[in-house]
Amino acid sequence: MFNPFKDHELYANKDPRDMSLDELRMLLLIKRQDLQLEWNEFQGKVKFWQRVGRTIKQSGILDRIKEGFQSYQSNRNSD
C-alpha cells in the first residue's frame, strides 16, 4: 500500500520519463496533494492576519495611533 509520507521520495527523485503510467498517476496525485496543502496553508495565514487586523481595528488601537500622530504633527507645525 502506498504511504504518501514515506513513498513520496520514490516518485520525487525518479525521472518522469522512466516512470510507468501508474507511477506518473501517483506522481500527479502527490503533486496535487502538495499543491492543496500549500494552498490550505496560505489560506490559513491570510485568515490569521485578517483576524489580527480585525482585532486591532475593533480594539481602537489604530484610532489612538492616528490621533497621536495627528497631535504630534499639529504640535510640530505650530512650533
Side-chain angles (χ1 to χ4, degrees), residues 18-48:
D18 298 332
M19 292 183 179
S20 69
L21 189 56
D22 287 336
E23 289 175 321
L24 286 170
R25 285 183 181 132
M26 192 58 65
L27 179 63
L28 182 59
L29 178 65
I30 290 168
K31 296 292 184 183
R32 283 181 183 162
Q33 288 176 343
D34 285 345
L35 186 60
Q36 184 65 49
L37 287 172
E38 289 173 14
W39 177 250
N40 291 347
E41 183 180 344
F42 173 74
Q43 284 183 319
K45 288 178 181 179
V46 168
K47 288 178 184 178
F48 169 78

Side-chain angles (χ1 to χ4, degrees), residues 42-56:
F42 173 74
Q43 284 183 319
K45 288 178 181 179
V46 168
K47 288 178 184 178
F48 169 78
W49 287 111
Q50 285 175 337
R51 284 188 298 242
V52 169
R54 192 170 32 246
T55 301
I56 290 172

